[in-house]
Amino acid sequence: MLAELGKKLAEKWLTLLVLPGALYLAVGVAADLLGHAHPFDAAGLSDRVGAWAKAPALGTFGGQAVLLAAVGVAAAGVGVVVQALGSLVERLHLAADWRGWPAGVRTLADLATRRRHARWQHRRELAGRARAQAHIADPASRPAASEAAAEARAAVHRVGAEEPVRPTWSGDRVHLAALRVRRHYGLDLAALWPYLWLTLPDPPRAEVTAARQALARAATLTAWAVLYLPLALWWWPALIVAAVLALTGHHRFRAAADGYATLLEAVVRLHAVDLARRLGLDCAGPLTAADGARLAELLVPRPPSTASATAGGTAPTLPA
């Protein structure tokens, strides 16, 4: 078992850190050798690399081992930096705590939120007019008017299904799951989730974990775009690489955020009633708003009472 676990860890380390990092180092070397003047001079690049390969130090096993170890360590170091940068990208995309960000970044986030809200409000007004127009349209033009109303409603949802409160679409999409849980059941998803996660069966846990990992991979892909951007100072095609990675990462992050938020809401709807029953609540059928209110009382910690706070009694002894 330990041998198999070590094999899987080594494979994951190689796939996530070393190989992308080695590719980045190779592009960095090519950028330094080619430059802006001859960005696609493959023959010149091949000659330079071939000359390096003929160096006496690389003709020995020791030299090759040292070079391979150096490349592996450097590639892994780049991969670790990208993983850390990916966490920052994910935080910026979800923007759950954007009101507590530093002043300059918070100002930009506030401007983005206001801009998204204004665009959402404008499209909502257009959708309302299109819907009213579809209601009063004559039978001959009603299909076209109904299609225009549906397109206007879809345009609103492209900005946000609800009123935007975060600077990004992905952040609002995850926030929408928590908003719907609170609206339908009166439950705080942040307080509910740790208890619900501990009682979930393996299949939904695996689905949520896979969705969460897809979110992290998309953020890491965007982080690679940020890391490739400085290479454009020496080799302008790196701009194209960074742009492609950024667009792909943005698209994947939106899709992953949508899937992750959908799974969060689905898990609450399907399994919150099981948690309520395990906590002793009598839920005859699906979870209702009344059941959610009783469950919330059990999950949210209560502040100490005035009597216990002023009694000055001895603190309880914790088990060793």
Side-chain angles (χ1 to χ4, degrees):
M1 184 186 66
L2 291 178
E4 187 65 23
L5 179 62
K7 186 187 301 182
K8 291 183 177 180
L9 289 177
E11 181 180 354
K12 186 175 181 180
W13 176 78
L14 183 67
T15 303
L16 296 181
L17 296 180
V18 178
L19 291 182
L23 178 61
Y24 177 81
L25 293 178
V27 174
V29 172
D32 181 62
L33 294 178
L34 294 176
H36 295 296
H38 305 284
F40 302 110
D41 186 11
L45 179 63
S46 178
D47 292 340
R48 295 287 298 274
V49 174
W52 288 350
K54 295 178 181 179
L58 295 181
T60 62
F61 175 78
Q64 294 174 0
V66 170
L67 177 62
L68 184 61
V71 171
V73 171
V78 173
V80 170
V81 171
V82 168
Q83 293 291 324
L85 189 58
S87 299
L88 177 60
V89 170
E90 181 180 322
R91 183 181 177 185
L92 292 176
H93 268 294
L94 297 179
D97 57 344
W98 70 269
R99 297 185 186 278
W101 289 355
V105 184
R106 185 174 65 248
T107 301
L108 294 177
D110 183 60
L111 290 175
T113 304
R114 292 175 182 270
R115 183 170 176 268
R116 294 188 66 248
H117 186 276
R119 189 165 68 252
W120 180 84
Q121 188 66 35
H122 175 67
R123 294 190 179 185
R124 190 185 182 193
E125 293 174 358
L126 294 179
R129 296 173 189 171
R131 184 171 59 251
Q133 188 67 30
H135 283 311
I136 64 175
D138 56 83
S141 59
R142 186 166 298 167
S146 299
E147 184 178 352
E151 176 59 32
R153 186 168 59 251
V156 176
H157 286 189
R158 282 195 291 271
V159 180
E162 298 273 352
E163 184 177 1
V165 295
R166 294 187 183 181
T168 64
W169 183 92
S170 299
D172 268 327
R173 180 64 188 90
V174 176
H175 172 71
L176 179 59
L179 184 64
R180 287 173 174 169
V181 169
R182 182 181 295 276
R183 179 185 299 159
H184 293 156
Y185 305 114
L187 289 169
D188 182 6
L189 183 58
L192 171 68
W193 188 252
Y195 299 91
L196 188 59
W197 181 254
L198 292 175
T199 59
L200 281 181
D202 288 339
R205 284 172 66 100
E207 291 293 334
V208 174
T209 300
R212 189 65 183 81
Q213 290 175 349
L215 204 66
R217 287 196 300 269
T220 302
L221 188 61
T222 306
W224 278 112
V226 175
L227 209 63
Y228 272 95
L229 192 59
L231 297 181
L233 296 175
W234 295 273
W235 189 56
W236 65 262
L239 281 175
I240 302 176
V241 177
V244 170
L245 290 176
L247 290 175
T248 305
H250 177 71
H251 175 73
R252 288 186 179 180
F253 197 93
R254 283 176 63 109
D258 185 35
Y260 181 61
T262 302
L263 278 176
L264 290 181
E265 190 175 351
V267 164
V268 172
R269 291 180 181 274
L270 294 175
H271 296 281
V273 65
D274 297 332
L275 173 63
R277 290 168 181 165
R278 294 186 65 170
L279 291 176
L281 298 182
D282 184 15
C283 301
L287 193 72
T288 63
D291 297 330
R294 291 189 297 161
L295 181 59
E297 292 181 359
L298 294 176
L299 298 182
V300 178
R302 296 182 181 181
S305 63
T306 306
S308 61
T310 58
T314 304
T317 303
L318 298 178

